[in-house]
Amino acid sequence: AAASRGWSLRFLNNAAYLWRLLQTFQEPIRRFLYWGHARDDLWLTLSHSDTTPTRPEEDAVVKVSDIAAAIAADAGLPWRFRFSDTGNKHQFVGCNTSAFARAWSSQLGVWAQGVTGKVDFSAIHTSGGVPSLEGSATITTFDKGSEKSSDTTWGGRGANPPRGESRIFIDAGHGGR
């Protein structure tokens, strides 16, 4: 399916590689989409102890503090994300991604969304690809780090970008290790 949309699909399991990859883009990145687990930081791989997710090795964790370090190492990084707006929100779809989305939004000066609480990915099979929220979970939208809204549905376009647009889709912890 990725090739039919003109996407180059790569599975990532190393945070340093993610930042190096972002430096290679010459054109603006309209939207960064992360699907996976987080506990403030993003987990690029996922294991379980019984039914409880366990934190991966440090090199597979994209830390909130990595955003500032990446900008310090590559001053052009915020420029690559300059076309973010209410219709092109960077989305961090997964449990506990709100803190990362706020930092991403603030430090890159973009619109972003993240979740406070848990996401049920199994719902994508019956909803046309949209995960559902569990219990009191909410999706928070940020503009340049300021909270703009909190809701229980994804605002803007869904996670399936149209053909021909430059997007990064990170599907973490769901295979491809």
Side-chain angles (χ1 to χ4, degrees):
S4 69
R5 291 182 160 280
W7 298 345
S8 175
L9 181 62
R10 298 179 192 177
F11 291 97
L12 304 177
N13 61 6
N14 182 282
Y17 178 69
L18 167 66
W19 296 112
R20 285 193 307 274
L21 182 64
L22 290 176
Q23 291 176 348
T24 68
F25 285 81
Q26 301 302 310
E27 297 297 321
I29 300 166
R30 293 190 181 277
R31 202 160 55 138
F32 184 104
L33 305 170
Y34 172 86
W35 282 47
H37 194 76
R39 286 199 186 137
D40 296 336
D41 301 320
L42 307 182
W43 296 5
L44 298 180
T45 62
L46 185 61
S47 297
H48 288 84
S49 173
D50 294 318
T51 60
T52 304
T54 58
R55 184 179 176 91
E57 298 293 324
E58 284 302 306
D59 64 349
V61 177
V62 183
K63 298 176 193 73
V64 170
S65 61
D66 290 347
I67 301 167
I71 292 169
D74 178 8
L77 189 60
W79 175 87
R80 289 185 189 90
F81 292 99
R82 71 187 185 279
F83 288 113
S84 171
D85 58 29
T86 58
N88 285 305
K89 295 176 188 82
H90 300 270
Q91 292 180 326
F92 299 89
V93 181
C95 304
N96 311 305
T97 56
S98 187
F100 195 92
R102 179 188 293 272
W104 184 271
S105 172
S106 174
Q107 294 178 46
L108 292 171
V110 298
W111 286 81
Q113 291 181 312
V115 176
T116 300
K118 292 186 176 186
V119 172
D120 177 7
F121 284 102
S122 66
I124 66 173
H125 302 291
T126 57
S127 67
V130 179
S132 64
L133 301 176
E134 291 186 8
S136 61
T138 58
I139 301 160
T140 305
T141 300
F142 303 97
D143 177 21
K144 298 178 183 74
S146 295
E147 186 174 323
K148 293 298 179 185
S149 67
S150 185
D151 202 343
T152 56
T153 60
W154 293 100
R157 294 193 299 219
N160 297 316
R163 293 174 192 252
E165 291 197 12
S166 298
R167 305 276 174 83
I168 296 176
F169 181 84
I170 305 296
D171 180 357
H174 302 284
R177 293 190 226 324

